[in-house]
Amino acid sequence: MEDLGSLNVEEMTGLNYMCSCGKNHSVGIENIKVGAGVITQLPTVIKSYEGGKVFIIEDTHTFEVAGKKVEELLKDKFKINKYVFNEEHLHPNELTLGRLLLEIPVDTMLIIAVGSGTINDISRFIGCKLRIPYVIVGTAPSMDGYASVVSPLVCDGVKITYDGVYPLAIVCDIDIMRDAPMQMLQAGLGDILGKYTALADWHIANVLNGEYFCAEVEKLVLSSLKKCEEAAAGVTSRDSKTVENITEALILSGIAIGMVGASRPASGGEHYLSHCYEMMFMNSGENTKWLHGNTVGVGVGIVAYAFKFAKDLDIDKIRKRGNYLKLHKNKWKQNITDVFTTSATNIIEFKQDSINFNEEERKICMNKISTNWDDIKKICDVNVPEPMEIVKTLKKAGAVWNPRELGLSKELFTKSLIAAKDMRNRYGILQLLEDIGMLGEAASYISNIYYK
């Protein structure tokens, strides 16, 4: 078996082995280049496509910082077509994807994405649908999607995660990445810190529902996470080693998703909150300045407080009180409507059949939770840092950490904390708190901390 902790990010390419978890792990990425000046290696990385037609996807910002250089490097040996998005706030929605389908030549051999979050997500999805390999040239260490195999996209106003493919190659030039806007560097740190609560949610799903879990993949994610946490203070000075550590950690996080075939190692309640905020802003017509990783960073502190709240509960008292037996459907629907407005109907239709409104079903669920309560408390205690430690790390990097900074009122924040989990059918601490009838109290407790 491979010792994942001993491999650097470039050595993760092409892995294929049977893990002690019983699953065969493979990494279908042929090449990863991370370091100063590595963009010049791009022609060598894609040499097998020489003479063929490549389609570059970028926006006006990424064209300036890296796209020009990519064209200069490739113009002599490749046939270049491109599309440059000029939107200030590009959304990964039907309109954006439709534009690419109109623009991409039918005989394209390779897609080259130049950018980070949205550019990467839409390029992966288009590449997967059209069965055209894609390469990502990173421009900012802002999110963990570079090596992922899923694409979060907006369909009918709802953020949905779609299957994608590994990139053929990843090229992240640290000389380019370190000059990204500071907010993007801070976003990368926020996305990485989110792995604490994502992994803890995964543990809870494993304990309560027998969901598949891989301890080796968890070790891989935690080792890269701790390196970034220790180097957080270097973000504000754009320290090259800090930016390289964050970039490698983000790539490893994406690789972990592909290795287990699901986003569990990288995405939990903190991501649901982030997607919830993004949809709230989008539905209100507000072009927020906050990036996905910024709101994930806010979300991880919030969800850490949810774990802290759960750890101190007396499950026997809650059970005797019996409040958990009733979850009122109309109240549940109204809360979703208040938070998601124009997207609420789609979310209600998606989630309502998987929610326990029946008293007997809620009793069965509570019995299972009670039986496993000691293990759940241990997860809350061991796997999640103290919330203020997470907040301190974000503050060291000058990153946003408080939902008030996102522009959320206390009332809307409280409602969003109750509704965010309903965007997905994934079990975690927020769903557990609802199942024991304590999510409303937890939301009030956390709201009073952030909105003193």
Side-chain angles (χ1 to χ4, degrees), residues 121-269:
D121 288 334
I122 59 179
S123 299
R124 175 190 295 109
F125 184 78
I126 289 291
C128 179
K129 282 291 185 182
L130 300 182
R131 298 187 179 181
I132 301 171
Y134 93 102
V135 171
I136 176 68
V137 177
T139 56
S142 55
M143 51 86 227
D144 65 358
Y146 285 123
S148 180
V149 291
V150 295
S151 288
L153 305 172
V154 178
C155 181
D156 291 331
V158 180
K159 198 84 177 269
I160 301 171
T161 299
Y162 289 88
D163 290 337
V165 290
Y166 272 131
L168 181 76
I170 302 169
V171 179
C172 289
D173 192 322
I174 298 304
D175 288 339
I176 293 171
M177 307 282 275
R178 69 190 293 268
D179 286 336
M182 182 54 61
Q183 194 175 344
M184 300 188 88
L185 273 64
Q186 293 161 341
L189 177 65
D191 209 350
I192 287 298
L193 290 175
K195 310 319 165 200
Y196 275 125
T197 45
L199 291 169
D201 270 349
W202 196 16
H203 272 286
I204 283 181
N206 172 253
V207 166
L208 283 179
N209 300 327
E211 190 174 310
Y212 159 79
F213 184 86
C214 180
E216 293 304 313
V217 167
E218 180 188 38
K219 276 186 208 171
L220 173 69
V221 175
L222 283 175
S223 65
S224 58
L225 193 164
K226 290 186 185 300
K227 274 202 316 186
C228 291
E229 194 174 36
E230 290 163 7
V235 169
T236 53
S237 62
R238 301 182 183 274
D239 174 70
S240 292
K241 192 60 184 172
T242 297
V243 174
E244 188 169 336
N245 282 347
I246 291 175
T247 302
E248 290 189 355
L250 291 165
I251 292 172
L252 287 171
S253 174
I255 286 174
I257 293 173
M259 290 174 75
V260 304
S263 60
R264 269 299 193 185
S267 174

